[in-house]
Amino acid sequence: MKKVALAYSGGLDTSVCIPLLKEHYGYDYVIAVIVDVGQPEEDINEAQKRGKELSDKYVTIDAKSEFVNDYVFPLIKANGNYEGYILGTSIARPLIARKVVKVAIKEGAEALAHGCTGKGNDQLRFDLIFRSTDMRVIAPMRELNLIRKEEHKYAAEHGIEISADKKWSIDENIWSRSIEGDLLEDPTFIPPEDIFKWTASPEDGPDAEIIEIGFECGIPTSLNGKALDGVKLIERLNRFGGKHGVGRTDMIEDRVLGLKARENYEHPAATILLKAHKNLESLVLTRNELRFKEIVDSTWSELVYQGLVIDPLYDDLNAFIKSTQKRVSGSVKLRLFKGRAGVVARSSPYALYSKEMVSFDDKTLDQKDAEGYSKYHGFQARLYKADNQNL
Ligand code: ARG
C-alpha cells in the first residue's frame, strides 16, 4: 500500500490535496496530520471532521506547549522580527513539518505532502524539513500550478464544501494570525474591520490599563504578579491586548523568492511581550552587548523567516542569545491604550543603572571629571573642522 502523510489544516488547499494525492499521484492511503499550534478550537474540530471524511486516517497532535517553549520563547529572547513585523507563521512551520515526518515514519509512509503554493515562503519551510528525510516530497498546488479558482472547482467536484465567508487566506497559531489574499492583494485596499478577529478597533478601546509582566532569563513567567505557564500567559495577553486593539500590522513584506506581498497580522501578545522584553534588555545588557545582539537578532530572524532552522548557524546564534539572557530577569509595566502598548516602568536585580550617578540631584559623581573626557572627545573631528574653518 502506497502511503503519504499530509500536513493538514482543514482549509481549501490542504483539503483539495487529499483527493489529488489519490487521483493524480496514485496514493492509496492518505494520512492527514493536524498539528495543533493554537489554532481556534473550531478550526481543529473542522479539520478533524473533514480529515475523517476525506482521508484514510487523521491524526491530531497537540503541540501547543512545545511550540511555546521551544519556538516562541527563543523568538522572544531573539526579539524575532522580519522587516519590522514579529515572526509568526514562520516560527511554527518547522515544528509542524517535524510532526508530520514523525507520523510518516511511524505509519510507514513513503511520501510527505503539503498544500503550499509555489508563491510563498511556507513551501520552503516545509520542504527543507521534509527533504532532510529520504521520503518523496509532494506539493500538489505548486506542481500542478493550481490557482484558487481551480481549487474551488475541484473541491466542488469532490464534495468538499468551503464556506463563502472564507475568502481570506488565514494562518493562525497561538502567537499570531496572518490574513492575506483576495482584495487584500491590492496594496491600496484599506482592510475592512471584519478581517480582524483577535483585536478590537483601536478607537473602540476601553480606558487605559497598566499590566505588569515578569521575566526570568528572557522568558515571560508572570502577568500582574501571577505566575503562568507560557500557553496561558500568551492566551491571556492576546485577550488583554486584543481588547485594546494592540498588535495590528499592515505591511509590504519581501518574501524569500523576492516577491513583495501585502500582509496583515494581528499579534497582541507578541507585540506586548517583544516590547517588554526589549525594554528589559536595554536595562540589563551593556551597550556593547546590545549593539552586537541587534546583529545577532536580525540574522536569527532572517534564518527563521527562511525556515533555515537546521542551519548550524541557528544553534550558534541561539547559544549566544541564551548566554545574554542570563540577566534578563525582572519586571516591566506597560500601558495599553487604543492600539498602543507603551512601556511605562521596568526593574531588574541585574539593572546596569545607577540612579545616583545619573541623577541631576546628586553629587556622587563629580561633574568636573567629565571635562577631561570632553577634551579628547571628537579630537580628530575638531582638527578636521579647524582645517576647513567650516563649523
Ligand atoms: N507572509 C507570512 C510569512 O511568510 C505569512 C504567510 C501566512 N499564510 C497565510 N495563508 N496567511 O511568514
Side-chain angles (χ1 to χ4, degrees):
M1 192 155 50
K2 272 178 70 169
K3 291 187 181 180
V4 55
L6 165 73
Y8 189 60
S9 71
L12 173 67
D13 295 328
T14 56
S15 294
V16 162
C17 279
I18 299 176
L20 272 176
L21 287 166
K22 297 189 164 208
E23 289 172 9
H24 188 85
Y25 292 90
Y27 281 88
D28 320 297
Y29 196 87
V30 179
I31 310 147
V33 187
I34 303 159
V35 184
D36 181 353
V37 281
Q39 302 87 314
E41 216 179 295
E42 61 275 18
D43 285 15
I44 298 282
N45 291 341
E46 196 177 313
Q48 287 175 328
K49 198 171 137 252
R50 272 230 176 104
K52 196 169 175 182
E53 282 163 20
L54 299 171
S55 70
D56 300 283
K57 177 170 186 167
Y58 76 92
V59 186
T60 311
I61 297 164
D62 181 356
K64 283 195 288 287
S65 299
E66 191 177 346
F67 177 51
V68 168
N69 293 322
D70 299 349
Y71 294 79
V72 173
F73 281 173
L75 181 148
I76 294 173
K77 294 179 189 176
N79 301 306
N81 80 88
Y82 177 76
E83 299 187 336
Y85 106 88
I86 300 167
L87 296 161
T89 296
S90 51
I91 191 72
R93 294 311 194 196
L95 172 63
I96 298 172
R98 283 171 173 145
K99 295 292 180 201
V100 176
V101 169
K102 246 190 172 157
V103 173
I105 293 169
K106 187 163 161 249
E107 296 285 333
E110 61 174 66
L112 299 158
H114 63 69
C116 304
T117 69
K119 297 198 169 188
N121 300 314
D122 285 332
Q123 53 172 333
L124 305 172
R125 300 167 183 154
F126 275 106
D127 279 13
L128 181 68
I129 303 294
F130 283 2
R131 288 189 202 284
S132 313
T133 70
D134 48 22
M135 284 180 260
R136 177 181 176 193
V137 177
I138 308 175
M141 305 303 130
R142 178 174 69 192
E143 286 164 26
L144 305 173
N145 197 18
L146 292 177
I147 56 170
R148 285 182 87 78
K149 209 167 77 192
E150 294 163 337
E151 289 181 41
H152 276 291
K153 188 164 166 273
Y154 186 84
E157 287 164 9
H158 289 77
I160 304 169
E161 280 174 40
I162 301 288
S163 67
D165 61 323
K166 295 220 162 133
K167 55 180 178 222
W168 318 113
S169 169
I170 311 275
D171 176 66
E172 202 163 340
N173 59 48
I174 191 174
W175 184 240
S176 112
R177 181 167 179 269
S178 105
I179 314 123
E180 52 179 23
D182 203 65
L183 294 170
L184 292 169
E185 286 175 351
D186 174 357
T188 67
F189 176 73
I190 299 176
E193 268 309 301
D194 70 3
I195 70 163
F196 300 108
K197 234 181 68 190
W198 292 11
T199 52
S201 248
E203 51 270 35
D204 296 340
D207 290 346
E209 188 169 7
I210 291 184
I211 59 167
E212 180 175 15
I213 298 166
F215 284 88
E216 279 167 38
C217 300
I219 291 171
T221 51
S222 70
L223 175 61
N224 296 335
K226 191 172 180 286
L228 289 173
D229 73 49
V231 171
K232 288 225 172 62
L233 186 115
I234 291 170
E235 283 172 349
R236 223 160 273 191
L237 275 180
N238 273 333
R239 281 202 298 276
F240 265 123
K243 186 174 71 180
H244 288 277
V246 167
R248 288 186 176 182
T249 305
D250 182 340
M251 67 182 291
I252 298 292
E253 177 178 314
D254 290 291
R255 289 186 183 160
V256 181
L257 292 177
L259 297 169
K260 283 193 186 288
R262 196 277 186 88
E263 300 283 346
N264 274 273
Y265 299 97
E266 336 181 61
H267 33 202
T271 305
I272 293 168
L273 288 171
L274 259 66
K275 266 230 166 111
H277 175 261
K278 209 158 186 211
N279 209 281
L280 188 57
E281 280 190 331
S282 67
L283 184 67
V284 301
L285 299 186
T286 65
R287 174 163 62 179
N288 288 337
E289 283 179 304
L290 288 168
R291 297 293 178 272
F292 188 69
K293 186 164 183 293
E294 224 159 84
I295 300 168
V296 172
D297 288 350
S298 88
T299 306
W300 187 98
S301 301
E302 290 275 341
L303 287 178
V304 167
Y305 187 75
Q306 296 177 33
L308 291 172
V309 295
I310 56 171
D311 191 306
L313 179 62
Y314 183 66
D315 293 337
D316 300 336
L317 298 180
N318 276 318
F320 168 79
I321 292 169
K322 192 169 168 220
S323 157
T324 63
Q325 300 299 294
K326 286 191 292 238
R327 287 174 283 129
V328 186
S329 301
S331 110
V332 181
K333 288 185 180 158
L334 302 101
R335 179 192 279 118
L336 311 182
F337 186 55
K338 296 204 187 295
R340 280 181 44 84
V343 173
V344 289
R346 71 292 279 156
S347 71
S348 167
Y350 304 102
L352 302 180
Y353 185 90
S354 165
K355 184 166 177 300
E356 294 73 42
M357 298 283 266
V358 78
S359 172
F360 296 127
D361 302 317
D362 192 288
K363 270 186 180 294
T364 311
L365 187 124
D366 187 347
Q367 296 179 56
K368 238 189 137 341
D369 292 344
E371 197 180 326
Y373 184 98
S374 163
K375 286 183 180 158
Y376 286 95
H377 187 59
F379 179 65
Q380 298 182 357
R382 275 177 6 234
L383 287 180
Y384 167 77
K385 287 291 183 199
D387 275 358
N388 281 275
Q389 300 295 312
N390 179 22
L391 292 174

